[in-house]
Amino acid sequence: MANVLPLDAQRDVWRLYRARFLIAISVMLFIASALIALALAPSYLAISLAAPDQPAAQPDAKGAPDDAISIARSQMLVTQLAPLLAGSSSPSTIIMRALGERPSGVAITHISYKAADQSSTGEIQLVGTASRERVAAYRDALTADHTFNSVSVPVGALVGADGGHFSITIDGNF
């Protein structure tokens, strides 16, 4: 029948189908947006009703219990951090000093630091890779620095038995 209609009639029919298609798509999009709005409405209402506008906080005449908790927490932190703050040198400067003695060709992969306390001295452990000659040179450079009390390297690293891996333990008053 499509080939029986004149060309103008065919255009009118296609225009009619296109309009119906656009109307159907518009109605489907409207229904989808209405369903989404209905799905989001309960959460919007819950949020708006659960958190009413709060006026600016006014100081109480008798003091707030949160302030007492904050003060106690601050005092506890000060007592715990006091030894670190009273130290003569920070860990970063000691570690930078130890790394500054490192000869070329020595790669440090891990650094651990243990602060000094009443019963022991501070300790830095450097772990890395290098040839045995460079490990020995690094140990000699660290020993020559009078900041460190003792420098120890496992014998396996000095004879090359560990395949280039080494660990250096440095003790001192830091």
Side-chain angles (χ1 to χ4, degrees), residues 36-104:
I36 291 172
L38 283 174
L40 293 177
S43 60
Y44 174 75
L45 289 174
I47 290 173
S48 64
L49 294 177
D53 293 335
Q54 297 178 354
Q58 297 177 355
D60 293 338
K62 56 185 173 184
D66 291 338
D67 291 342
I69 293 171
S70 299
I71 291 170
R73 184 178 298 145
S74 298
Q75 288 174 343
M76 182 184 67
L77 285 173
V78 166
T79 57
Q80 288 178 348
L81 295 176
L84 295 176
L85 297 174
S88 61
S89 61
S90 70
S92 62
T93 57
I94 297 297
I95 292 172
M96 291 305 292
R97 188 167 190 140
L99 291 177
E101 300 290 335
R102 179 177 47 133
S104 64

Side-chain angles (χ1 to χ4, degrees), residues 121-133:
T121 60
E123 180 180 288
I124 298 174
Q125 185 175 22
L126 305 172
V127 179
T129 57
S131 65
R132 64 184 180 92
E133 294 85 12

